[in-house]
Amino acid sequence: MKIEMKHGAGGAAMEDFIKNEIVERIGGGKAEIGLEKLDDSCVVDGIVFTTDSYTVKPIFFAGGDIGKLAVSGTINDIYAIGGAAVAISSALIIEEGLEFDDFRRIMESMAKEAKKAGVAITTGDTKVVEKGSVDKIFINTAGIGKRHLKLDENFEVVEEYRKVKHRWLLDSNIEEGDKIIFTGSAGDHGAAILAARYEIESNVESDAQPLNRLMDVALEIGGVVAAKDPTRGGLANLLNEWREKSKIGFLIRERDIPIKDGTKAICELLGIDVLELANEGIYAMAVVPEKAEEILEAIKKLPEGRNAAIVGEARKEYEYAILETSVGGKRIIEAPIGSAVPRIC
Amino acid sequence: MKIEMKHGAGGAAMEDFIKNEIVERIGGGKAEIGLEKLDDSCVVDGIVFTTDSYTVKPIFFAGGDIGKLAVSGTINDIYAIGGAAVAISSALIIEEGLEFDDFRRIMESMAKEAKKAGVAITTGDTKVVEKGSVDKIFINTAGIGKRHLKLDENFEVVEEYRKVKHRWLLDSNIEEGDKIIFTGSAGDHGAAILAARYEIESNVESDAQPLNRLMDVALEIGGVVAAKDPTRGGLANLLNEWREKSKIGFLIRERDIPIKDGTKAICELLGIDVLELANEGIYAMAVVPEKAEEILEAIKKLPEGRNAAIVGEARKEYEYAILETSVGGKRIIEAPIGSAVPRIC
């Protein structure tokens, strides 16, 4: 039996593969939030710790490149669980023959995003392999962080309204009535990659960006229960991960989902569900209903949150994530089996 | 201008590339021991942090596999600077078509080494890419640690004999008279990879192994000033890194360097200098002369240190690392420009 593309595609096949073939074998070590949680970061001995390898194709695309993606993605994973980033690493696997100019652009892009987020790149590794052994350049960024200073205050606010399941922003924290905010428009990163790959004329740009400031603002208000960035498998997969871990359904209103025209056009052209397309610069956030409007208003003032919207809520009457379509019908938002777009990140 | 194999080969060309093209662009962030130190790990906000990507070819070899290598290598980098490992990550980039059986062997190998070293694998990432976009499987392991409990006591011992430059085990700490211990035989990992790659009949096995216990024992005695694992570029490159950072020369006695017959035979067959071959399970340690014999004796009692030997000392009368050959001559141990063996780790 051989490993297939679907095993890394961000959907149900990947989830099974990771649980049965990886976590089952290498997991089980002592941690406050460990590998088996499959959350955005782990927490061990008070340290928030996360890793991601980036294999995106092409390495340059509208709105970013592999370097911007690698830095933003790892920073966003740290903040998604309630951490504040302390430092990130940069481990490069470079294909022999890569142009120095391209390499320099990527390094400068990494430096710029890290600086924007106020995070230092403090350790690294560099490998060069023969032509054909890697596709241009793959980058791994691991990240470390500490507990976000505002996290306890955030949960004090949550507790005004209900008991908290866990005092980190975990996928399993969500309860009846929590409002779901998308902090930006759906699928822009995936659409930008598709446009680049299939040479589609489009004004869509990747949303890749660090979300540390946006999370600071939300935690300052309080009431955030969970946050997650919808990368591989998009928002469809994210909602199903939440559903499974929090054991609750969702009602999402299609008309409230922010979608850019350009992204919509690419989805229609290629017959892809926008909810299955990756983002790299938005969070889905679950927040207590009492604070949803206030958080929304605050993050909409930031450029990285200007398209944010409340798109639905957690509802225990549903077993699934349900989409109320623009024409009034209802359908189940299924976790994609494989991926609409391989090598998206 | 294009990136070439030599830019990742562990020698002088790689050092220039990393300094001028990478650190110059992405370094400079605040850290106690930062990227620009080019040491085995960084230290930031009290956390020891390191990363390594493993691209070894072939992925299975006598004495180990890419999984064993990835876990040992990162653990050893944490201990090399005076850290104690808290957790490691596992980020996998898998080529579509990899056999499940091979994948499982690698996972089990990672689990086994981590368990042996008492370190949990707490976070991970999994990517699958199309055939031809990566060579079978590449693994990144990042690691986090805290200051080793015995580190301060170790430096108290050092201070009985001389002032300490820095209270971590840095490449720049070494001074006149410090004894150099190789904790195992030279070049066995490189020789095992060469044997596998060129189908040479040999009994040489890779030395890949975690060295946490060995370092515990040495720090318990005290007097360790620096430690480093001689991976790419081997002991020749290691001594030149020490020379440059500590601004001191070395006298190394060829007759005292532990070398296995099998490794020597492969070096002679292929015309490779054993000092340029990688190890993945030994340290070169610089220790105050007063404690060298005691440390040697203690680590020789461990299976992972049974071949250890004192091979020379730091000598300011020399500008270079000098090898006193078995026949009584002297030659400069130069840093390799490129690599004797690409894809060694």
Side-chain angles (χ1 to χ4, degrees):
Chain A
M1 210 165 75
K2 292 174 194 291
I3 295 176
E4 299 169 37
M5 291 301 288
K6 68 178 180 189
H7 294 116
M14 178 168 108
E15 197 189 319
D16 286 347
F17 177 63
I18 289 177
K19 278 186 189 165
N20 301 331
E21 299 293 337
I22 300 177
V23 177
E24 183 68 24
R25 289 189 169 80
I26 67 173
K30 227 181 71 182
E32 190 179 340
I33 298 169
L35 191 66
E36 62 290 347
K37 289 273 186 194
L38 298 177
D39 225 304
D40 299 89
S41 292
C42 76
V43 182
V44 54
D45 226 345
I47 304 165
V48 178
F49 182 32
T50 189
T51 185
D52 260 314
S53 290
Y54 293 85
T55 63
V56 67
K57 181 180 188 170
I59 55 176
F60 297 102
F61 43 83
D65 57 54
I66 190 171
K68 183 181 188 183
L69 201 60
V71 170
S72 315
T74 289
I75 289 172
N76 293 347
D77 278 347
I78 294 173
Y79 283 83
I81 205 164
V86 166
I88 61 173
S89 63
S90 154
L92 313 171
I93 305 174
I94 307 165
E95 186 183 23
E96 171 192 22
L98 183 72
E99 292 288 343
F100 264 90
D101 284 349
D102 288 346
F103 181 73
R104 286 171 187 151
R105 257 176 86 187
I106 294 166
M107 288 302 100
E108 274 152 22
S109 177
M110 290 183 79
K112 187 177 156 195
E113 296 307 308
K115 198 176 167 192
K116 201 196 292 176
V119 177
I121 302 173
T122 55
T123 191
D125 177 53
T126 305
K127 297 286 190 304
V128 181
V129 298
E130 331 80 90
K131 250 193 191 311
S133 293
V134 79
D135 190 1
K136 293 196 170 70
I137 182 169
F138 290 171
I139 301 180
N140 177 283
T141 42
I144 55 172
K146 298 203 161 172
R147 191 174 172 87
H148 197 291
L149 282 175
K150 290 286 172 190
L151 203 56
D152 290 322
E153 289 172 34
N154 171 71
F155 281 114
E156 278 172 30
V157 175
V158 177
E159 279 167 344
E160 284 179 37
Y161 305 103
R162 68 169 170 89
K163 206 171 164 305
V164 195
K165 280 190 184 165
H166 200 293
R167 295 185 72 87
W168 289 89
L169 304 178
L170 297 196
D171 294 340
S172 53
N173 276 353
I174 304 165
E175 289 187 9
E176 173 70 10
D178 287 342
K179 293 287 180 188
I180 309 304
I181 297 175
F182 291 173
T183 71
S185 46
D188 294 341
H189 176 70
I193 296 296
L194 284 172
R197 207 176 289 169
Y198 298 113
E199 295 176 4
I200 300 166
E201 278 224 36
S202 169
N203 59 357
V204 174
E205 295 200 339
S206 166
D207 56 323
Q209 59 187 342
L211 294 169
N212 54 307
R213 182 173 56 172
L214 183 144
M215 184 59 89
D216 290 345
V217 164
L219 293 181
E220 176 75 40
I221 293 167
V224 181
V225 179
K228 198 173 189 70
D229 55 338
T231 59
R232 279 178 289 175
L235 287 155
N237 197 63
L238 183 153
L239 289 166
N240 278 285
E241 272 193 75
W242 274 0
R243 180 180 72 82
E244 196 182 305
K245 293 184 190 169
S246 286
K247 300 190 193 326
I248 195 158
F250 296 93
L251 182 67
I252 304 295
R253 291 175 199 88
E254 190 173 29
R255 66 170 180 279
D256 294 334
I257 299 174
I259 304 176
K260 287 190 180 138
D261 289 342
T263 297
K264 196 183 277 180
I266 286 172
C267 285
E268 282 167 4
L269 186 69
L270 300 175
I272 289 172
D273 183 351
V274 68
L275 292 178
E276 295 189 7
L277 273 187
N279 286 86
E280 292 286 344
I282 79 166
Y283 282 132
M285 272 186 185
V287 305
V288 295
E290 295 82 355
K291 286 290 177 183
E293 287 293 344
E294 192 181 344
I295 290 174
L296 180 67
E297 210 170 295
I299 63 180
K300 278 179 81 78
K301 287 182 187 145
L302 302 171
E304 60 268 38
R306 68 183 180 280
N307 297 316
I310 299 170
V311 298
E313 61 263 340
R315 294 272 284 270
K316 62 183 172 197
E317 66 183 285
Y318 298 117
E319 198 183 334
Y320 297 97
I322 300 294
L323 188 73
E324 191 184 273
T325 63
S326 303
V327 293
K330 284 200 175 77
R331 71 164 176 92
I332 293 172
I333 302 172
E334 309 235 35
I337 300 294
S339 173
V341 194
R343 304 270 302 275
I344 201 79
C345 61
Chain B
M1 210 165 76
K2 292 174 195 292
I3 295 175
E4 300 170 36
M5 291 301 288
K6 68 179 180 190
H7 294 117
M14 178 168 107
E15 198 189 318
D16 286 347
F17 177 63
I18 290 177
K19 279 187 189 163
N20 302 331
E21 299 292 336
I22 300 177
V23 176
E24 183 68 22
R25 289 188 169 80
I26 67 172
K30 228 182 71 181
E32 188 177 340
I33 299 169
L35 191 66
E36 63 289 347
K37 288 273 187 195
L38 299 176
D39 224 304
D40 299 88
S41 292
C42 76
V43 182
V44 54
D45 227 347
I47 304 165
V48 178
F49 182 33
T50 189
T51 185
D52 261 314
S53 289
Y54 293 85
T55 64
V56 67
K57 182 180 185 167
I59 55 176
F60 297 102
F61 42 83
D65 58 57
I66 189 170
K68 182 180 189 183
L69 202 59
V71 170
S72 316
T74 290
I75 289 173
N76 293 347
D77 278 347
I78 294 173
Y79 282 83
I81 204 164
V86 166
I88 62 173
S89 62
S90 155
L92 313 170
I93 304 175
I94 307 165
E95 186 182 24
E96 171 191 24
L98 183 73
E99 292 288 344
F100 265 90
D101 284 350
D102 287 346
F103 181 73
R104 287 172 186 150
R105 254 176 87 188
I106 293 166
M107 289 301 101
E108 274 152 22
S109 177
M110 290 183 80
K112 187 177 157 194
E113 295 308 308
K115 197 175 167 192
K116 202 197 291 176
V119 177
I121 302 172
T122 55
T123 190
D125 176 52
T126 306
K127 298 285 190 301
V128 181
V129 298
E130 330 81 271
K131 252 195 188 310
S133 293
V134 78
D135 191 2
K136 293 195 171 69
I137 182 170
F138 290 171
I139 301 179
N140 177 282
T141 42
I144 55 172
K146 299 205 159 169
R147 192 175 170 88
H148 196 291
L149 282 174
K150 290 286 173 191
L151 203 56
D152 290 322
E153 289 172 36
N154 171 70
F155 282 113
E156 278 173 30
V157 175
V158 177
E159 279 168 343
E160 284 179 38
Y161 306 104
R162 68 168 170 91
K163 207 171 163 306
V164 194
K165 280 193 185 163
H166 200 295
R167 295 184 72 87
W168 289 91
L169 304 178
L170 296 195
D171 294 341
S172 53
N173 275 353
I174 304 165
E175 289 186 10
E176 173 71 10
D178 286 343
K179 292 287 179 188
I180 308 305
I181 298 175
F182 291 173
T183 70
S185 47
D188 294 341
H189 176 70
I193 296 296
L194 284 172
R197 208 175 288 169
Y198 298 114
E199 295 177 4
I200 300 167
E201 278 226 33
S202 170
N203 60 357
V204 174
E205 295 201 340
S206 166
D207 57 324
Q209 59 186 343
L211 294 169
N212 54 306
R213 182 173 56 173
L214 183 145
M215 185 59 88
D216 290 346
V217 164
L219 293 182
E220 177 73 43
I221 294 167
V224 181
V225 177
K228 197 172 190 69
D229 54 337
T231 59
R232 278 178 289 174
L235 287 155
N237 197 63
L238 183 152
L239 289 165
N240 278 285
E241 273 192 76
W242 272 1
R243 179 179 73 82
E244 195 182 307
K245 293 184 190 170
S246 286
K247 300 187 192 327
I248 194 159
F250 295 93
L251 181 67
I252 304 294
R253 291 174 199 89
E254 190 172 27
R255 66 170 181 279
D256 293 333
I257 299 173
I259 304 176
K260 289 191 178 136
D261 287 342
T263 297
K264 194 182 277 179
I266 286 171
C267 286
E268 282 168 3
L269 186 68
L270 299 174
I272 289 172
D273 183 351
V274 69
L275 291 179
E276 295 189 6
L277 272 188
N279 286 85
E280 291 286 343
I282 78 166
Y283 282 132
M285 273 185 183
V287 304
V288 295
E290 294 81 355
K291 286 290 177 183
E293 287 293 345
E294 194 181 342
I295 290 174
L296 180 67
E297 210 170 297
I299 63 180
K300 278 178 79 79
K301 285 182 188 148
L302 302 172
E304 60 269 37
R306 65 182 182 279
N307 297 316
I310 298 170
V311 299
E313 61 263 341
R315 294 272 284 270
K316 62 183 173 197
E317 65 182 288
Y318 299 116
E319 198 183 335
Y320 297 97
I322 300 294
L323 187 74
E324 190 183 276
T325 64
S326 303
V327 294
K330 283 202 174 76
R331 72 162 174 93
I332 293 173
I333 302 172
E334 309 236 33
I337 300 293
S339 174
V341 194
R343 303 271 303 275
I344 201 78
C345 62

